[in-house]
């Protein structure tokens, strides 16, 4: 779709043509963002997009189930193993779990052995389905020896999103 953008503005020249191409690209991004959020059961399937300094943002949906998992590893090797073990889990969620809205891993900027996982699901039921997946079972199996030997400390908390804010 984006490859057609230059053709749309093909007959224009000067400063107008790049502005039209950029505007069309922004519209494509907004359309994709809207389409990905439509029908998820939150906000009645409708999303109102807002922009701040050219960046599209969607309002947060109330009732979304959020899970924050904190991990602190004792060594970098175990962290690297964990990140590899997460790849099939993330890919499974991306391909097969349409009710998994967000799945993101972040590493602390002041301690490279601390990790947080942000998981957002359309409902608690969607989270429970995710938790029962074979990729989740495999991850728990891989993590068990690290947890038992205290090579990683895992804590977490679940939340219900209020709808106050944006994503």
């Amino acid at each position: 779709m984006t490859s057609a953008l230059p053709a749309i503005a093909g007959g224009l020249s000067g400063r107008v043509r790049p502005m039209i191409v950029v505007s069309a690209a922004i519209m494509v991004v907004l359309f994709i963002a809207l389409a990905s959020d439509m029908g998820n059961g939150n906000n009645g399937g409708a999303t109102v997009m807002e922009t701040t300094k050219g960046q599209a943002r969607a309002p947060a949906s109330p009732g979304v189930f959020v899970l924050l998992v904190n991990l602190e590893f004792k060594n970098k090797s175990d962290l690297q193993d964990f990140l590899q073990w997460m790849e099939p889990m993330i890919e499974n969620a991306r391909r097969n779990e349409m009710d998994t809205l967000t799945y993101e891993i972040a590493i602390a900027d002041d301690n490279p052995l601390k990790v947080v996982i942000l998981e957002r699901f359309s409902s608690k039921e969607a989270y429970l389905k995710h938790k029962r997946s074979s990729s989740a079972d495999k991850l728990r199996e891989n993590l068990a020896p690290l947890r038992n030997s205290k090579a990683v400390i895992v804590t977490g908390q679940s939340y219900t999103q209020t709808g106050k804010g944006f994503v």
Side-chain angles (χ1 to χ4, degrees), residues 42-65:
N42 300 312
N43 275 350
T47 301
V48 177
M49 300 296 290
E50 62 181 60
T51 60
T52 302
K53 295 184 181 179
Q55 187 148 39
R57 296 181 176 174
S61 300
V64 167
F65 186 81

Side-chain angles (χ1 to χ4, degrees), residues 97-163:
E97 299 177 9
M98 296 301 111
D99 288 326
T100 300
L101 307 175
T102 304
Y103 209 95
E104 180 65 36
I105 300 171
I107 297 175
D109 61 350
D110 64 348
N111 182 346
L113 297 176
K114 284 187 176 181
V115 175
V116 66
I117 304 171
L118 168 64
E119 303 176 49
R120 295 175 59 248
F121 302 90
S122 63
S123 65
K124 188 170 185 174
E125 293 74 27
Y127 158 71
L128 293 172
K129 179 180 175 187
H130 165 80
K131 185 179 175 179
R132 292 188 296 265
S133 70
S134 60
S135 57
D137 289 341
K138 183 66 175 170
L139 179 63
R140 280 189 294 274
E141 178 185 317
N142 287 336
L143 269 177
L146 297 178
R147 290 182 81 170
N148 293 339
S149 69
K150 305 286 190 232
V152 63
I153 305 299
V154 181
T155 60
Q157 179 67 51
S158 59
Y159 303 86
T160 302
Q161 199 166 284
T162 64

